[in-house]
Structure formats: C-alpha cells, structure tokens
C-alpha cells in the first residue's frame, strides 16, 4: 500500500541545520508532486513547501523561504527537506504528503506520513 | 495570503447527530478547497477535495459543498470515530493555507 515514512527529526540549537527525509513506497514516486506540511505543538497545520514530480518546480512558504530547500531523488524514492538557520518557531512535527492532483491549483495532500518532530531549542 | 476561517472552533454533538462545519475564504477560491480529519496523535487524513468530491474510502456520511468563499463540511449520523479536529485547506494558489481547525467532540 502507499506509504510515506519521515525521518531525521530531533533537537537542534537555533541557527543550526537539519535534513529530513521521507521514504516513499507502494506507488510510482517519480509521477507525483510532493509537499512538506508542519504542525507546531498544539497548533494547526502550516504548508511549508512543494516540489514537482521531476524536481523542476518548487515553491516555499514565506516563513521558510531562503532557509529551507526541498529536493527529491526519484532513483531512491525519497523526498528531502534541508532546513538551515533554524529558529525556535520552526519547532513542529513535519509531515511529508503526496499530491495526487497533478496540478498546483487544486493540490491536495494524500496520504500523509506519520511525521517527524523537530525541536529547535538552546 | 488567502486567509481561511473556520467556525465553530469547537463543537459537541451526540451519536447519530448531523453537524456542519463552515470554512470561509478571504477571497474567492473557486472550488479549490479540501477537508482533512486529524485524530489526536495521528497524521491528517483527506476527506473531501474540490469542495465536494469524496476521497476514496471515506464514508458517505461525510459531504462537502460550496464555492467561491463559503464552504461547508457536513457529517451525518455521527459515529464515535468521528471525534477529531477538522481542517479546511485552499489550493487556489501555491501559498496553500489551512483553516485554524474545528474540534469535534462526540458526547
């Protein structure tokens, strides 16, 4: 079945970097756009970034633009999120999600991984 | 950014009841609206997309309607497993945004 498994979360000091991974299985990873969505503890959902099926198009939320980079390796069925210059307010559970829509207008997230917790604290 | 506002923020209902959650966009988003269910400690799950299309595998008790700026999620014949937080999400442009969530408690 379709499965997404995030890894790489942990505790990191402000200003440092972290890279998250999302391993995909059960579907043709190279055919789908992918997203990262985060959720601060006890808060709502915040979209972070997207990447097209072939990696040629990427978009970022203003809150992470210039600090985070999304990438993918279709040969390894893996999505990445490189997070630099981390801030306390980046503390959240980070979810990867597949986009079955094929278009950016009308994008939706299905399914989601189980999430990985990133804590930014000194 | 397009702001999404849900109401109510929380509600309590009984087994078998029908409830409606509203989502309002700060500008017209056509039908680019999805609904998600999040059970505590779990990842969100897609329920409805394109405002009214039921995601495969989702019970038909869930339905969505609306277009433009006003949307609704209706859950009929409430079941214990419907206790969760529900989020709307717009995809009119690539600065995707979610509503703040509606927490549903089953009495």
């Amino acid at each position: 079945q379709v499965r997404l498994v995030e890894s790489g979360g942990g505790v990191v000091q402000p200003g440092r970097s972290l890279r998250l991974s999302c391993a995909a299985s059960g579907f043709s990873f190279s055919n789908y756009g992918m997203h990262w969505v985060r959720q601060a503890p006890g808060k709502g959902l915040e979209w972070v970034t997207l990447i097209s099926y072939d990696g040629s198009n990427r978009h970022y939320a203003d809150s992470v633009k210039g600090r985070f980079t999304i990438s993918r390796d279709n040969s390894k069925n893996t999505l990445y999120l490189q997070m630099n210059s981390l801030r306390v307010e980046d503390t959240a559970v980070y979810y990867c999600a597949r986009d079955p829509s094929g278009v950016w207008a009308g994008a939706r997230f299905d399914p989601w991984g189980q999430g990985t917790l990133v804590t930014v604290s000194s | 950014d397009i702001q999404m506002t849900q109401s109510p923020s929380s509600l309590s209902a009984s087994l078998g009841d029908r409830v409606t959650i509203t989502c309002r966009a700060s500008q017209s988003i056509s039908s680019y609206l999805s609904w998600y269910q999040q059970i505590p400690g779990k990842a969100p799950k897609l329920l409805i997309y394109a405002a009214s299309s039921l995601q495969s595998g989702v019970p038909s008790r869930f339905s969505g309607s609306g277009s433009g700026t006003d949307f609704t999620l209706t859950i009929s014949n409430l079941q214990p497993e419907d206790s969760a937080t529900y989020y709307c999400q717009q995809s009119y442009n690539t600065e995707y945004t979610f509503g703040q969530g509606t927490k549903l408690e089953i009495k």
Side-chain angles (χ1 to χ4, degrees), chain A residues 35 37 39 43-47 50 59-63 65 95 99-100 103-115, chain B residues 1 31-34 36 38 41-46 48-50 55 87 89-101:
Chain A
H35 301 262
V37 179
Q39 186 170 35
K43 302 297 184 182
L45 301 167
E46 179 188 16
W47 173 80
L50 69 83
H59 293 274
Y60 298 90
D62 287 344
S63 58
K65 203 170 293 182
Y95 296 100
D99 186 346
V103 290
W104 299 137
R108 57 190 187 265
F109 313 126
D110 178 70
W112 301 53
Q114 86 288 351
Chain B
D1 290 5
S31 296
Y32 297 123
L33 192 284
S34 299
Y36 300 84
Q38 186 176 33
K42 300 291 187 180
K45 172 187 173 183
L46 177 65
I48 301 285
Y49 63 95
Q55 174 67 6
Y87 294 92
Q89 171 248 328
Q90 67 81 18
S91 54
Y92 180 77
N93 59 31
T94 52
E95 190 74 22
Y96 306 123
T97 46
F98 292 85
Q100 81 280 13

Side-chain angles (χ1 to χ4, degrees), chain A residues 12-25:
Chain A
V12 61
Q13 293 178 327
R16 304 298 292 264
S17 300
L18 204 61
R19 188 177 85 155
L20 306 183
S21 299
C22 169
S25 60

Side-chain angles (χ1 to χ4, degrees), chain A:
Chain A
Q1 77 278 21
V2 175
R3 193 172 183 219
L4 299 169
V5 179
E6 301 93 338
S7 61
V11 180
V12 61
Q13 293 178 327
R16 304 298 292 264
S17 300
L18 204 61
R19 188 177 85 155
L20 306 183
S21 299
C22 169
S25 60
F27 67 101
S28 296
F29 179 70
S30 60
N31 288 347
Y32 290 87
M34 297 292 295
H35 301 262
W36 288 96
V37 179
R38 68 185 180 182
Q39 186 170 35
K43 302 297 184 182
L45 301 167
E46 179 188 16
W47 173 80
V48 176
T49 180
L50 69 83
I51 188 168
S52 59
Y53 69 99
D54 61 355
S56 62
N57 284 294
R58 312 173 195 200
H59 293 274
Y60 298 90
D62 287 344
S63 58
V64 307
K65 203 170 293 182
R67 301 187 299 122
F68 289 13
T69 301
I70 189 172
S71 63
R72 65 191 297 159
D73 186 336
N74 286 344
S75 69
K76 295 182 178 179
N77 290 341
T78 303
L79 176 73
Y80 302 101
L81 183 64
Q82 177 67 42
M83 303 185 294
N84 298 333
S85 303
L86 281 161
R87 304 169 180 168
V88 170
E89 54 265 35
D90 294 321
T91 295
V93 174
Y94 284 74
Y95 296 100
C96 63
R98 185 184 71 168
D99 186 346
S101 71
V103 290
W104 299 137
R108 57 190 187 265
F109 313 126
D110 178 70
W112 301 53
Q114 86 288 351
T116 187
L117 176 62
V118 173
T119 302
V120 184
S121 173
S122 55

Side-chain angles (χ1 to χ4, degrees), chain B residues 26-102:
Chain B
S26 60
Q27 66 179 75
S28 176
I29 58 170
S30 186
S31 296
Y32 297 123
L33 192 284
S34 299
W35 290 97
Y36 300 84
Q37 175 194 62
Q38 186 176 33
I39 293 168
K42 300 291 187 180
K45 172 187 173 183
L46 177 65
L47 300 175
I48 301 285
Y49 63 95
S52 60
S53 295
L54 188 68
Q55 174 67 6
S56 176
V58 174
S60 58
R61 303 183 289 104
F62 293 87
S63 63
S65 65
S67 66
T69 60
D70 294 314
F71 302 86
T72 59
L73 173 70
T74 300
I75 312 172
S76 303
N77 187 23
L78 275 176
Q79 299 298 302
E81 60 267 28
D82 299 335
S83 180
T85 299
Y86 294 84
Y87 294 92
C88 61
Q89 171 248 328
Q90 67 81 18
S91 54
Y92 180 77
N93 59 31
T94 52
E95 190 74 22
Y96 306 123
T97 46
F98 292 85
Q100 81 280 13
T102 296

